């Protein structure tokens, strides 16, 4: 599990370091049979897979991670360390906060101005569309992006939600390369 801090630091997990993972919001590996996991309760969990280099990554992105373009940092780190090319990536984004519940009353102070175009009604934003825009800008092909547009606030039987309950518990997303 990543020790998440709503930041943008990406960590490569190996067989030598997988037991001691400090503060990171994204993990990646080429190792087989190591599960990478993040927890979330309205934030997005994104799974990245590069079939060319057989590398996986997982990222936890709330509005702070999105504002700092965490997904582009994941892709750039994988490119520098493994040789991943964005156009080869397959990316899936988990159920998360939907546009009808993503209210930001202080958005002018909290969100970068390019996000303002994704306002669905006053003070509400479509982070599913924002993430897709960021992935496309980083070079991921549209056909390789899957966003599970299920709102964690709306689906109380299936998902925990911080916006719905202040101490809700957490959803977990896990990915591994089979050996």
């Amino acid at each position: 599990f990543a020790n998440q801090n709503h930041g943008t630091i990406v960590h490569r997990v190996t067989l030598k370091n997988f037991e001691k993972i400090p503060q990171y919001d994204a993990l990646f590996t080429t190792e087989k049979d190591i599960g990478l996991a993040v927890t979330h309760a309205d934030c997005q969990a994104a799974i990245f897979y590069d079939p060319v280099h057989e590398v996986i990554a997982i990222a936890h992105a709330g509005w702070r991670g999105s504002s700092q373009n965490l997904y582009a940092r994941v892709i750039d780190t994988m490119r520098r360390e493994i040789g991943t090319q964005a156009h080869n990536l397959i990316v899936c984004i988990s159920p998360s906060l939907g546009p009808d519940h993503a209210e930001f009353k202080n958005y002018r102070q909290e969100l970068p101005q390019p996000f303002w175009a994704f306002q669905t009604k006053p003070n509400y934003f479509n982070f599913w569309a924002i993430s897709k825009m960021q992935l496309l800008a980083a070079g991921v092909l549209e056909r390789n992006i899957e966003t599970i547009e299920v709102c964690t606030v709306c689906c109380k039987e299936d998902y925990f939600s911080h916006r719905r309950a202040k101490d809700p518990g957490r959803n977990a997303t896990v990915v591994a390369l089979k050996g």
Side-chain angles (χ1 to χ4, degrees), residues 124-162:
Y124 287 80
F125 293 82
N126 185 339
F127 275 85
W128 299 331
I130 290 169
S131 295
K132 186 173 183 178
M133 176 266 306
Q134 290 179 326
L135 290 166
L136 290 169
V140 178
L141 301 177
E142 185 168 11
R143 69 175 183 259
N144 291 345
I145 301 169
E146 182 70 34
T147 303
I148 310 303
E149 293 184 358
V150 172
C151 179
T152 48
V153 175
C154 296
C155 297
K156 60 185 169 189
E157 270 97 52
D158 296 320
Y159 301 104
F160 294 108
S161 168
H162 181 74

Side-chain angles (χ1 to χ4, degrees), residues 5 12 14 18 29 43-44 48 58 68 78-79 82 90 96 98 120 140 145 147 166 168 176:
N5 63 356
R12 183 174 184 177
T14 66
F18 78 95
T29 191
C43 296
Q44 295 177 357
F48 297 75
I58 194 161
Q68 298 174 71
M78 290 170 67
R79 180 193 51 76
I82 307 293
I90 299 167
S96 56
T120 58
V140 178
I145 301 169
T147 303
K166 293 302 177 199

